[in-house]
């Protein structure tokens, strides 16, 4: 660490009520803007200079600012191990070996961090897990015949291992080193050789991105400044609200002096305040990436406007106005969602088959372990999975009553459903995500008990409702209302991969596990096995064993 660097941060921490490391983190994000401006202006024809500059700044952050010698060791072990595996290991199991190595190393760091009881210490493992596991998959894709790849794989396949300088700078890219966003190596490669900014021949000059002084990277100061201003606003709001809605209030005696509805409101504001910090940090890091040019995402051919959303990691409006669980989660940690979908959910699915319970459970386990081992994470994930299922059932069996029979237009009373679904979604998630911030089990259960476990009771009632004859009655009513032609719209169904690793439909996944067990039993019978189809407790044990093997 540089001498005399701590006193200014200690003074600021005492003044603002924040920790020293939090102020250092904010300082590093702001410092990344002028440094990204310098990086952008280094000669395009000399990419090695950009690589060296990135590595130098990253080392300053890790050692000079945070004194994270252990962080350098952690990054070296993960990065060197992933690169060596990609280089030496051939065959289809290479990316899985890389995944197990990086995930295992990150898990060890999670355990050590938890044993030290230091959840607020700067952690550099999360974004690196995303980068390095994706790197192994991209290298594996580059070794496959092109006919076996989907478009996403073709776009990101690595056909030749990068040199160590390029790879090191990719891992240590300073605007996103400490908090993300993550991106694939091909995106970094196309940025540093400037092929990212090439436009097809014959493109109308009026819709080409504007550049200056012969640089290929378009002008990005204005969108970067907008992101910086937005990020600082979020940080300012966080500093204001964190003194009012915090862990101490929820766990203290004063909280129980308020009425039930007031306690729910405080819990909602506690969750909102916690999200403000991430809105601020991710907006600031995205802005620095935009200023460097890496956030470039082409030009809108209709408007002629440059798109800078390649590395967008958060959509606060989507989260705060969400009327269902999927919209809430899709706006949160967007790049991690994409990583879970493209490098776990779709990868565990055999070619030619639809993703099933294996994919859902593997994605769920990966997302959970990626965050760490605090009990609060798992309380949030498990309850969140059931909230996903409940939301799907309400959209499938209740929402159509507020639409026209063809399902294409809103009925006059649709606004009432929207209000109810908004209140239900936000109140459910403020309850479910509180453990994600509180972390330790006693604190989580205490806070939940202080609002009488309302979301768990509501979830249990809803699950029981849709497992009862009421579901058939609702279905019949819809069929009669729609003249026997029950329409399904895209918005009524849960489409695509799990969001943030939460299974879309845990019940369906369990059913698929049972079907697979039945199939295996039938195969054994045809092969002469004497084992029959398990029933009762034996079936339950078999399902649990099956699910355990898949995770």
């Amino acid at each position: 660490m540089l001498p005399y660097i701590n006193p200014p941060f200690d003074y600021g921490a005492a003044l603002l009520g924040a920790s020293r490391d939090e102020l250092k983190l904010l300082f590093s994000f702001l410092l990344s803007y002028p440094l990204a401006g310098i990086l952008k202006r280094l000669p395009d024809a000399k990419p090695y200079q950009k690589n060296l500059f990135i590595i130098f700044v990253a080392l300053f952050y890790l050692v000079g600012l945070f004194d994270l010698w252990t962080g350098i060791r952690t990054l070296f072990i993960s990065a060197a191990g992933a690169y060596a595996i990609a280089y030496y290991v051939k065959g289809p199991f290479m990316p899985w070996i890389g995944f197990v190595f990086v995930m295992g190393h990150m898990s060890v760091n999670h355990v050590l961090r938890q044993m030290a009881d230091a959840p607020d210490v700067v952690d550099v493992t999360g974004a690196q897990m995303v980068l390095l596991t994706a790197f192994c998959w991209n290298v594996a894709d580059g070794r496959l015949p092109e006919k076996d790849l989907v478009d996403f794989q073709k776009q990101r396949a690595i056909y030749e291992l990068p040199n160590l300088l390029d790879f090191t700078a990719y891992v240590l890219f300073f605007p996103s080193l400490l908090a993300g966003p993550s991106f694939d190596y091909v995106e970094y490669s196309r940025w540093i050789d400037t092929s990212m900014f090439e436009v097809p021949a014959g493109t109308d000059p009026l819709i080409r991105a504007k550049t200056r002084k012969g640089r290929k990277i378009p002008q990005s100061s204005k969108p970067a400044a907008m992101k910086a201003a937005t990020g600082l606003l979020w940080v300012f709001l966080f500093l204001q609200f964190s003194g009012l809605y915090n862990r101490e209030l929820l766990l203290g005696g004063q909280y129980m002096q308020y009425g039930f509805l007031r306690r729910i409101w405080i819990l909602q504001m506690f969750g909102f305040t916690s999200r403000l910090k991430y809105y601020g940090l991710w907006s600031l890091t995205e802005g620095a990436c935009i200023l460097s040019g890496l956030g470039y995402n082409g030009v809108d051919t209709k408007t002629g406007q440059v798109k800078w959303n390649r590395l967008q990691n958060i959509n606060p409006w989507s989260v705060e106005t969400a009327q269902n669980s999927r919209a809430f989660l899709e706006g949160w940690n967007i790049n991690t969602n994409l990583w879970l979908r493209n490098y776990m959910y779709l990868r565990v699915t055999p070619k030619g088959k639809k993703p099933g319970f294996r994919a859902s459970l593997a994605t769920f386990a990966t997302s959970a372990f990626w965050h760490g081992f605090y009990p609060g994470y798992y309380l949030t994930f498990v309850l969140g999975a059931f909230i996903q299922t409940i939301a799907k059932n309400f959209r499938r069996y209740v929402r159509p009553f507020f639409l026209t029979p063809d399902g294409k237009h809103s009925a006059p009373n649709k606004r009432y459903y929207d209000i109810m679904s908004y209140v239900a979604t936000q109140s459910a998630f403020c309850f479910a995500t509180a453990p994600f911030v509180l972390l330790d089990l006693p604190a989580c259960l205490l806070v939940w008990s202080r609002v009488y476990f309302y979301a768990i009771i509501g979830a249990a009632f809803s699950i029981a409702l849709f497992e009862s004859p009421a579901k058939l009655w609702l279905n019949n009513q819809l069929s009669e209302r729609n003249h026997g032609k029950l329409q399904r719209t895209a918005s009524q169904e849960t489409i695509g991969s799990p969001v943030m690793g939460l299974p879309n439909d845990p019940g369906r996944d369990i059913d698929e596990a049972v079907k697979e067990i039945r199939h295996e039993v039938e195969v054994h019978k045809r092969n002469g096995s004497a084992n029959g189809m398990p029933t009762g407790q034996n079936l339950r044990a078999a399902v649990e064993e099956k699910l355990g093997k898949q995770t």
Side-chain angles (χ1 to χ4, degrees):
M1 182 185 297
L2 294 178
Y4 310 113
I5 201 169
N6 278 336
F9 294 103
D10 290 333
Y11 176 78
L15 190 65
L16 297 174
S19 70
R20 178 204 298 168
D21 277 355
E22 286 175 335
L23 286 187
K24 284 185 176 182
L25 201 60
L26 179 60
F27 172 75
S28 71
F29 294 157
L30 295 176
L31 183 60
S32 291
Y33 280 78
L35 294 176
I38 295 174
L39 174 63
K40 179 180 178 178
R41 286 161 174 79
L42 293 177
D44 291 336
K46 297 180 179 179
Y48 74 90
Q49 293 185 3
K50 294 187 177 185
N51 283 332
L52 291 174
F53 183 77
I54 289 168
I55 294 170
F56 174 80
V57 174
L59 292 177
F60 164 71
Y61 283 174
L62 292 171
V63 179
L65 189 59
F66 288 100
D67 198 29
L68 282 176
W69 290 99
T70 55
I72 291 180
R73 181 191 65 196
T74 295
L75 291 174
F76 174 78
I77 292 173
S78 290
Y83 190 91
I85 289 169
Y87 184 85
Y88 288 107
V89 180
K90 313 298 180 182
F93 295 109
M94 182 275 287
W96 291 112
I97 295 172
F99 173 84
V100 170
F101 171 77
V102 177
M103 174 68 89
H105 182 235
M106 185 185 68
S107 297
V108 170
N109 282 279
H110 279 321
V111 171
L112 294 176
R113 186 162 163 254
Q114 189 168 340
M115 290 174 62
D117 193 24
D120 295 326
V121 171
V122 175
D123 180 25
V124 296
T125 59
Q128 304 310 312
M129 167 73 183
V130 176
L131 290 176
L132 297 172
T133 53
F135 176 80
C136 290
W137 275 111
N138 297 151
V139 172
D141 290 339
R143 295 171 179 170
L144 294 175
E146 189 169 322
K147 62 181 179 63
D148 294 339
L149 304 178
V150 298
D151 289 341
F152 176 86
Q153 293 172 292
K154 294 176 183 177
Q155 294 166 2
R156 289 163 172 76
I158 298 174
Y159 296 98
E160 182 178 350
L161 276 179
N163 61 58
L164 290 176
L165 181 62
D166 285 346
F167 179 74
T168 302
Y170 162 66
V171 172
L172 296 178
F173 188 70
F174 68 85
S176 63
L177 174 65
L178 299 174
S182 59
F183 47 90
D184 290 331
Y185 176 78
V186 168
E187 294 175 294
Y188 178 82
S189 177
R190 294 182 63 232
W191 168 77
I192 203 162
D193 67 14
T194 68
S195 61
M196 175 185 289
F197 311 104
E198 295 175 356
V199 294
T203 300
D204 187 344
L206 295 178
I207 63 172
R208 289 175 181 265
K210 296 180 180 180
T211 60
R212 293 183 62 187
K213 298 181 180 180
R215 289 192 297 269
K216 294 183 180 180
I217 301 177
Q219 297 179 31
S220 56
S221 299
K222 185 176 180 179
M226 290 295 293
K227 279 293 178 182
T230 304
L232 289 173
L233 175 61
W234 291 125
V235 171
F236 173 76
L237 292 175
F238 168 72
L239 292 174
Q240 298 302 307
F241 283 110
S242 60
L244 300 174
Y245 304 101
N246 48 51
R247 177 189 178 98
E248 289 71 26
L249 173 61
L250 292 180
L251 299 177
Q254 181 183 353
Y255 186 55
M256 292 304 294
Q257 296 177 9
Y258 300 115
F260 175 63
L261 293 180
R262 178 74 180 275
R263 293 201 297 273
I264 293 179
W265 170 252
I266 291 173
L267 191 62
Q268 169 67 29
M269 290 303 298
F270 173 72
F272 174 68
T273 302
S274 301
R275 292 192 295 274
L276 286 173
K277 177 171 67 173
Y278 293 97
Y279 294 163
L281 299 186
W282 283 335
S283 294
L284 288 172
T285 56
E286 183 190 352
C289 291
I290 289 173
L291 190 58
S292 73
L294 191 56
Y296 178 79
N297 200 23
V299 179
D300 189 319
T301 56
K302 295 182 180 179
T303 65
Q305 296 293 315
V306 178
K307 295 182 291 185
W308 292 101
N309 61 347
R310 178 183 294 272
L311 300 182
Q312 182 180 1
N313 206 35
I314 189 70
N315 186 341
W317 179 258
S318 174
V319 173
E320 301 303 332
T321 62
Q323 297 177 19
N324 59 75
S325 57
R326 191 169 188 86
F328 188 100
L329 295 171
E330 282 183 335
W332 180 262
N333 208 351
I334 296 169
N335 287 288
T336 299
N337 269 325
L338 294 175
W339 169 69
L340 287 168
R341 177 184 185 277
N342 293 313
Y343 296 109
M344 178 52 60
Y345 183 71
L346 297 178
R347 302 287 181 161
V348 299
T349 304
K351 188 176 179 180
K353 293 187 177 181
K354 287 185 176 182
F357 83 95
R358 283 193 179 102
S360 294
L361 292 173
T363 307
F364 177 87
T366 300
S367 182
F369 291 157
W370 179 75
H371 285 89
F373 300 103
Y374 283 99
Y377 294 143
Y378 297 87
L379 291 177
T380 294
F381 275 103
V382 171
L383 181 56
F386 287 104
I387 291 174
Q388 281 266 75
T389 299
I390 293 164
K392 180 208 68 173
N393 283 328
F394 271 98
R395 289 179 70 80
R396 179 180 292 174
Y397 297 109
V398 177
R399 185 174 182 269
F401 286 105
F402 299 88
L403 302 174
T404 55
D406 60 6
K408 296 180 179 179
H409 303 284
S410 299
N413 59 355
K414 173 66 161 45
R415 66 174 69 93
Y416 302 116
Y417 175 85
D418 292 340
I419 294 172
M420 289 186 295
S421 60
Y422 173 78
V423 172
T425 297
Q426 297 296 330
S427 60
F429 270 100
C430 82
F431 180 94
T433 57
F436 208 87
V437 182
L438 298 169
L439 298 180
D440 59 283
L441 187 60
C444 297
L445 296 180
L446 176 62
V447 171
W448 274 3
S449 69
R450 288 182 163 189
V451 288
Y452 309 126
F453 299 97
Y454 72 86
I456 295 177
I457 294 172
F461 173 80
S462 299
I463 291 171
L465 175 69
F466 289 109
E467 289 297 324
S468 72
K471 183 169 77 171
L472 179 60
W473 181 83
L474 287 170
N475 203 44
N476 291 336
Q477 291 296 309
L478 282 175
S479 182
E480 181 179 340
R481 175 181 181 268
N482 296 338
H483 310 294
K485 296 180 180 180
L486 182 61
Q487 299 293 322
R488 293 276 188 241
T489 64
S491 63
Q492 287 173 247
E493 305 294 338
T494 302
I495 300 174
S497 60
V499 187
M500 288 305 298
L502 299 181
N504 289 329
D505 191 341
R508 183 196 65 188
D509 293 336
I510 297 297
D511 291 340
E512 289 185 3
V514 172
K515 289 180 181 178
E516 183 165 327
I517 291 173
R518 290 181 184 275
H519 175 71
E520 290 182 358
V521 170
E522 293 300 323
V523 171
H524 284 306
K525 283 184 176 180
R526 287 196 296 268
N527 293 335
S529 172
N531 295 327
M533 174 64 200
T535 58
Q537 291 297 322
N538 292 331
L539 176 59
R540 179 179 178 180
V543 171
E544 291 175 349
E545 180 184 2
K546 189 74 178 176
L547 298 180
K549 288 180 180 179
Q550 302 305 329
T551 56

